[in-house]
């Protein structure tokens, strides 16, 4: 809120659009719970965000397994998908890195994200993520979404298994805005 206040002070003739991506969806949805905060923002961009961390592991696991089952049934790299399912079953706590790895075997995904080389975390980041994740996993902001009536742009990746499309669907079902644009990539 201090950043928003400073932006308003520095740029008094400008309007603020709030962007939350990934865990930023939790931060921005938490910020928008308060009416005084919502009054400062003219629109919300929600890019593969998370407003309900209570089921993150389960929803990601379901999304990965659903994709795997469809690919196995279609005999599309079935052995690799079987291995992915086995890895996920044996290591459920690694759902996030497995979610990124799963995109490696989907030919429709043109830009491949390599979790082991594209994400370099400092020790400080790893420590803060660990503490932050505990808070995120017990927070559900769905009940506050009805109060968000500003225009909202929802952006999602078709093969984003790290942040389940369940959260996009929950947001679309619960948001109070009548001006929502949802785009899947």
């Amino acid at each position: 809120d201090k950043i928003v206040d400073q932006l308003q002070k520095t740029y008094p003739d400008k309007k603020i659009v709030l962007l939350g991506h990934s865990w930023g969806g939790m931060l921005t949805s938490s910020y928008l719970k308060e009416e005084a905060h919502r009054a400062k923002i003219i629109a919300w961009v929600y890019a593969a965000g998370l407003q309900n961390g209570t089921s993150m592991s389960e929803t990601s696991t379901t999304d990965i397994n659903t994709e795997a089952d469809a690919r196995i049934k279609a005999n599309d790299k079935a052995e690799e998908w079987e291995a992915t399912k086995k890895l996920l079953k044996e290591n459920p706590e690694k759902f996030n890195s497995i979610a990124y790895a799963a995109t490696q075997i989907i030919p429709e995904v043109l830009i491949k994200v390599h979790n082991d080389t594209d994400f370099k975390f400092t020790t400080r980041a790893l420590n803060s993520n660990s503490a932050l994740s505990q808070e995120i996993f017990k927070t559900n902001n769905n009940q506050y979404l009805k109060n968000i009536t500003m225009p909202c742009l929802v952006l999602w990746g078709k093969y984003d298994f790290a942040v389940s499309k369940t959260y996009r669907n929950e947001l679309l079902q619960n948001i109070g805005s009548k001006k929502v644009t949802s785009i899947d990539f």
Side-chain angles (χ1 to χ4, degrees):
D1 193 43
K2 290 180 181 184
I3 293 169
V4 170
D5 288 344
Q6 185 60 48
L7 286 169
Q8 287 179 324
K9 182 179 173 184
T10 304
Y11 306 102
D13 298 332
K14 303 292 181 183
K15 299 189 186 307
I16 298 175
V17 173
L18 192 62
L19 167 68
H21 169 254
S22 192
W23 284 9
M26 184 63 76
L27 178 62
T28 56
S29 64
S30 292
Y31 179 78
L32 293 171
K33 287 193 296 191
E34 295 187 35
E35 184 177 353
H37 294 168
R38 291 190 306 272
K40 299 175 186 182
I41 306 298
I42 65 156
W44 183 27
V45 178
Y46 182 78
L50 179 69
Q51 81 281 352
N52 175 7
T54 62
S55 59
M56 187 175 179
S57 173
E58 293 84 6
T59 57
S60 290
T61 298
T62 297
D63 286 358
I64 296 165
N65 282 323
T66 299
E67 185 70 25
D69 290 343
R71 300 276 175 166
I72 291 165
K73 184 177 180 180
N75 201 26
D76 179 5
K77 299 186 179 183
E79 287 181 22
E80 291 177 70
W81 283 106
E82 289 286 358
T84 298
K85 286 183 68 159
K86 181 179 182 210
L87 182 64
L88 186 58
K89 185 175 183 174
E90 292 172 354
N91 303 280
E93 75 286 356
K94 295 184 178 182
F95 71 91
N96 197 271
S97 59
I98 294 169
Y100 284 105
T103 63
Q104 302 303 309
I105 53 179
I106 300 175
E108 301 93 320
V109 175
L110 302 179
I111 299 172
K112 307 294 187 185
V113 176
H114 302 278
N115 201 35
D116 55 341
T117 57
D118 290 342
F119 294 120
K120 297 289 186 188
F121 290 110
T122 63
T123 301
R124 179 174 176 234
L126 288 170
N127 289 337
S128 66
N129 279 353
S130 177
L132 184 59
S133 66
Q134 297 311 307
E135 190 65 29
I136 285 173
F137 292 148
K138 61 183 181 182
T139 302
N140 181 348
N141 288 330
N142 278 335
Q143 66 269 26
Y144 306 107
L145 296 175
K146 66 182 179 286
N147 299 321
I148 299 173
T149 58
M150 67 191 66
C152 184
L153 174 61
V154 180
L155 305 172
W156 226 272
K158 180 177 180 180
Y159 300 108
D160 186 344
F161 306 121
V163 182
S164 175
K165 288 176 274 309
T166 298
Y167 304 113
R168 178 205 55 202
N169 298 342
E170 286 178 1
L171 178 111
L172 294 173
Q173 181 179 1
N174 292 299
I175 195 150
S177 177
K178 301 297 182 220
K179 297 178 182 174
V180 178
T181 301
S182 181
I183 300 171
D184 286 358
F185 297 98

